Amino acid sequence: METLIAILIGTLFAGGIYCMLRRSIMKVVIGLMLLSQAANLLVFTSGGLTAQGPVFLSSAETGSTLAQADPLPQALVLTAIVIGFGVIIFSLSLLLKAHQAVGSDDINAFNKTDQVS
Amino acid sequence: MIWTLAPILIPLTSALLAMAARGHPHMVRAIGVTGAILLCGAGFGLLWAVENQGVIVLQAGNWPAPVGISLVADLLSALMVTITGIISLAVAIYSLRDVNRNLLKSHYFALFHFLLLGVNGAFLTGDLFNLFVWFEVMLLSSFVLITMEGKRQQLEGGVKYLVINLVASALFLSGIGILYGKLGTLNMADIALRLANTPDAFLINSSSILLLVAFAIKAGMFPFFFWLPASYHTPQVAISALFAGLLTKVGVYALIRSYTLLFNSQFAVMQDVLIVLAGATMITGVFGAATQFEIRKILSFHIVSQIGYMIMGLAIGSALALAAAVFYILHHIIVKTNLFLVGGLIMRKCGTSDLARTGGLYKWAPGLALLFFIPAFSLGGIPPLSGFWAKFSVIQAGLEAEHYALVAAALLVGVLTLYSMIKIWAEAFLKAKPMDSRAPAENAPGPNLHWTLVVPCVILALLTVWIGLAGAPLLNLALATSEQLLNPEIYIEAVLNPPIAHYEK
Amino acid sequence: MPAAPLLQIATRYLAPILAVLSLLVLYRGHNLPGGGFIGGLLLAAAILLVAIAEGWDVVNKKLPVDPLTLLTLGLGIALLSGLPSLFFGQPYLTGQWLPGLELPIIGKVKLGTPIVFDLGVYFAVTGFTLKCANAFAEES
């Protein structure tokens, strides 16, 4: 299972970076979303993917032989998702405004601040 | 204990009050400035407490150390919080006149204090994931601040700023994930302790590189600095001064924390990388500045080059070098904020920020000339101003450690920095103002400057002079800080084994 | 904005149910899945449903507080909920609990500062979500 998730994380990272290198700013935002999802998934997986066991009790106490998932990464991921939610909403509204101001979807048109005056 | 809490609770309370009082300009202003004054006081209180009691630890929610979130104030954190307080007070006063009335009426001061909340939280936290959260608090408020007015340039700069910083956040989060998967802890002291006893360096270095890249982006280091000069000159002067002073330095702080505490055991592996990055950052920054003719763009590129000096201090890693890095950060925050503020005054007087069209200020406003002279030549490293001692100690540390190439780069960059400052001096102050028939409004000197605009610059300039002439106490403080940084056991001990009395009801 | 009548009628029943459910989720959140964040999202979903069915004008008129005020209020409550522990000489945010009560029907009730903190999160999340949705609705 971990291998599968690892491949998925890699694909998400690759897809995110590919989208960010595209010229359309909308694709850049999609790339950002993919990147943050990849990072979230990575943190989530770091706690181990075993389920079905009680969390705080050791296996000796419960008599269960099942391995247990670490609850902390799930809490971390929840926090990271919440932050990502806010950030993505803001970037969408920013891009909407920037698109109206620049009048183009092409990232190459966003060059006014880089010119040597 | 209350002192570790105050620098976080004060900005949060002020931000909430400012939000509640929106639409009442006088109340918002009063809240904004009062909050900054209290924050400044709290910073000095924290510094005083840390000097007397050593490292102060607060376990939030009374959860013992590796489990809960610890707030840790050692000398470095306390110094950074203090300087944040000073800068926030100066910028808050400057904002009263500088920031657009509509922005003041709406959320300017609320976001201002949210930004300070994020900055102070990042300085004080002892937990890696919590550091990420504070970074995001800081970033979100800075995103909104930079694009608040909605002008085209701000939106363009904002997009670049946002995208690259979000990539940094994703990398930071991935680094945390890998580190947690490896060690099962997020408390920075605990991580440092466990890494010192972990033989498998491979996974450690991968996460350490991820964090390095993330922090390097936030600090504006080579080769990740492009977002900085593309965005810092676009917002209103007060906002860009606050950013220039504080935000990149949070990245530098995080780097210092990482390589003196977290990855202290692996420092030797990363040292060469840091040295190369430091040299490249200095040189690219200063050459970038040499080609520019817009005041705030020149200053933005100089942030990049000065970051190089701080990283140089960290990379050399000796006691003197770390002290020099800390001293450099303190000096740089004051001087750079001041330069952006004075740059704003120049723009007000001339009606433009393009150096080709400014001029004649020496005649129009001799006081302003003095006000610019002090921070500019401090940045250039002219004795006896603060920048001289900062550069001198970094270079001396480099000589002692026999990093001659780095020292040569630092000296060259010092000269070129002076060149840029002289360029602004000659173009804005000495030369006669070119008369422009297309923009007749620019041909007369701008309106007289209100005292709220001048006083912050004067205070910061006096601080610069004071550090230059009588900086021994500050230098001693920096030396004590580097002493603490070089002995991470002090930090680890304080976090993981707090005095028992702390837990009694 | 006229919406589908089916949606309007369904909303009349769904929105109150969601609102009550959000309170339930908020209350059980301390030891069971749930909590202020999820509760806040549920409440925001209920209000958004009304906004889609009846239009934002109706929501803005009926909502007793502005979303931004709600956000401020929520953060303020969360901030204050950490303070009581300081009076007992414990670190900030240490949970303070009232003695458990035995109530008819509901059963055992435990009240303390963590629930107050969650209440703050509940308001803050609702306010934030509504504010964002509102901003997008105004722009497009």
Side-chain angles (χ1 to χ4, degrees), chain B residues 29 77 231 257 263 374 394-395:
Chain B
R29 282 177 204 186
S77 308
S231 57
R257 254 301 167 253
F263 303 111
I374 293 172
V394 173
I395 287 170

Side-chain angles (χ1 to χ4, degrees), chain A residues 22-43:
Chain A
R22 300 284 295 270
R23 276 171 64 173
S24 150
I25 49 168
M26 196 54 222
K27 305 243 163 62
V28 172
V29 179
I30 294 174
L32 279 178
M33 290 177 189
L34 290 179
L35 269 190
S36 76
Q37 294 316 319
N40 288 346
L41 202 55
L42 179 62
V43 175

Side-chain angles (χ1 to χ4, degrees), chain A residues 50-106:
Chain A
T50 42
Q52 301 162 352
V55 162
F56 288 112
L57 303 176
S58 72
S59 49
E61 279 171 84
T62 55
S64 154
T65 49
L66 291 167
Q68 295 150 20
D70 184 347
L72 188 60
Q74 301 172 12
L76 301 184
V77 154
L78 183 63
T79 315
I81 289 174
V82 173
I83 292 172
F85 166 72
V87 168
I88 292 295
I89 285 182
F90 177 76
S91 25
L92 273 177
S93 74
L94 174 65
L95 284 190
L96 203 65
K97 273 194 228 156
H99 182 228
Q100 283 161 359
V102 177
S104 163
D105 186 39
D106 187 347

Side-chain angles (χ1 to χ4, degrees), chain B residues 223-362:
Chain B
F224 310 111
F225 61 87
F226 296 96
W227 58 272
L228 198 155
S231 57
Y232 270 26
H233 66 286
T234 54
Q236 301 213 326
V237 175
I239 299 173
S240 64
L242 190 66
F243 284 17
L246 295 178
L247 293 196
T248 47
K249 261 56 81 184
V250 181
V252 177
Y253 165 85
L255 278 172
I256 293 183
R257 254 301 167 253
S258 310
Y259 289 102
T260 57
L261 179 69
L262 283 182
F263 303 111
N264 184 39
S265 48
Q266 254 69 35
F267 178 69
V269 185
M270 300 300 293
Q271 193 176 19
D272 291 340
V273 180
L274 284 173
I275 285 176
V276 172
L277 287 183
T281 308
M282 281 192 273
I283 292 173
T284 43
V286 88
F287 278 124
T291 61
Q292 296 291 336
F293 267 89
E294 211 266 6
I295 297 174
R296 280 198 284 173
K297 266 195 180 178
I298 297 178
L299 296 176
S300 303
F301 270 109
H302 274 298
I303 299 177
V304 177
S305 77
Q306 308 289 311
I307 293 286
Y309 283 97
M310 300 165 203
I311 304 301
M312 174 175 162
L314 169 66
I316 293 169
S318 64
L320 179 62
L322 274 176
V326 173
F327 188 77
Y328 210 105
I329 293 177
L330 299 177
H331 135 79
H332 177 79
I333 291 179
I334 294 174
V335 162
K336 188 54 84 178
T337 311
N338 199 4
L339 275 175
F340 268 80
L341 295 180
V342 175
L345 298 186
I346 295 176
M347 282 154 61
R348 260 167 200 272
K349 273 283 179 193
C350 290
T352 171
S353 62
D354 182 4
L355 281 180
R357 291 194 286 143
T358 58
L361 276 180
Y362 195 69

Side-chain angles (χ1 to χ4, degrees), chain B residues 94-422:
Chain B
Y94 192 90
S95 318
L96 292 177
R97 280 281 154 162
D98 179 67
V99 172
N100 187 328
R101 229 159 240 274
N102 289 331
L103 298 192
L104 267 188
K105 233 197 249 172
S106 57
H107 304 303
Y108 171 75
F109 268 120
L111 289 162
F112 177 88
H113 281 288
F114 271 124
L115 183 82
L116 293 174
L117 168 72
V119 171
N120 277 339
F123 288 150
L124 285 174
T125 187
D127 182 279
L128 202 53
F129 190 79
N130 199 229
L131 181 65
F132 170 76
V133 174
W134 290 125
F135 264 60
E136 295 302 302
V137 170
M138 181 179 94
L139 278 179
L140 258 178
S141 11
S142 68
F143 292 155
V144 184
L145 276 175
I146 210 168
T147 57
M148 228 177 161
E149 261 185 310
K151 289 187 184 154
R152 178 179 168 176
Q153 288 217 335
Q154 296 173 344
L155 294 172
E156 278 187 21
V159 168
K160 290 163 196 168
Y161 179 75
L162 176 121
V163 170
I164 190 76
N165 276 292
L166 290 188
V167 173
S169 298
L171 292 178
F172 188 7
L173 195 55
S174 314
I176 292 176
I178 293 178
L179 209 53
Y180 184 78
K182 178 82 185 157
L183 299 172
T185 178
L186 286 167
N187 186 294
M188 299 212 264
D190 205 20
I191 291 176
L193 200 62
R194 292 195 195 191
L195 278 188
N197 305 322
T198 306
D200 180 7
F202 177 68
L203 275 171
I204 299 170
N205 286 340
S206 60
S207 52
S208 122
I209 284 281
L210 278 170
L211 293 194
L212 171 69
V213 173
F215 295 149
I217 290 176
K218 313 235 176 210
M221 270 165 71
F222 177 86
F224 310 111
F225 61 87
F226 296 96
W227 58 272
L228 198 155
S231 57
Y232 270 26
H233 66 286
T234 54
Q236 301 213 326
V237 175
I239 299 173
S240 64
L242 190 66
F243 284 17
L246 295 178
L247 293 196
T248 47
K249 261 56 81 184
V250 181
V252 177
Y253 165 85
L255 278 172
I256 293 183
R257 254 301 167 253
S258 310
Y259 289 102
T260 57
L261 179 69
L262 283 182
F263 303 111
N264 184 39
S265 48
Q266 254 69 35
F267 178 69
V269 185
M270 300 300 293
Q271 193 176 19
D272 291 340
V273 180
L274 284 173
I275 285 176
V276 172
L277 287 183
T281 308
M282 281 192 273
I283 292 173
T284 43
V286 88
F287 278 124
T291 61
Q292 296 291 336
F293 267 89
E294 211 266 6
I295 297 174
R296 280 198 284 173
K297 266 195 180 178
I298 297 178
L299 296 176
S300 303
F301 270 109
H302 274 298
I303 299 177
V304 177
S305 77
Q306 308 289 311
I307 293 286
Y309 283 97
M310 300 165 203
I311 304 301
M312 174 175 162
L314 169 66
I316 293 169
S318 64
L320 179 62
L322 274 176
V326 173
F327 188 77
Y328 210 105
I329 293 177
L330 299 177
H331 135 79
H332 177 79
I333 291 179
I334 294 174
V335 162
K336 188 54 84 178
T337 311
N338 199 4
L339 275 175
F340 268 80
L341 295 180
V342 175
L345 298 186
I346 295 176
M347 282 154 61
R348 260 167 200 272
K349 273 283 179 193
C350 290
T352 171
S353 62
D354 182 4
L355 281 180
R357 291 194 286 143
T358 58
L361 276 180
Y362 195 69
K363 210 162 53 187
W364 284 354
L368 185 56
L370 182 66
L371 220 45
F372 175 77
F373 183 87
I374 293 172
F377 286 79
S378 173
L379 191 76
I382 298 293
L385 295 165
S386 62
F388 170 72
W389 302 110
K391 283 203 168 70
F392 180 75
S393 42
V394 173
I395 287 170
Q396 198 193 356
L399 285 177
E400 276 178 13
E402 302 186 346
H403 291 292
Y404 294 119
L406 207 50
V407 169
L411 288 171
L412 173 74
V413 171
V415 173
L416 286 173
T417 308
L418 203 54
Y419 160 74
S420 282
M421 290 304 121
I422 290 174

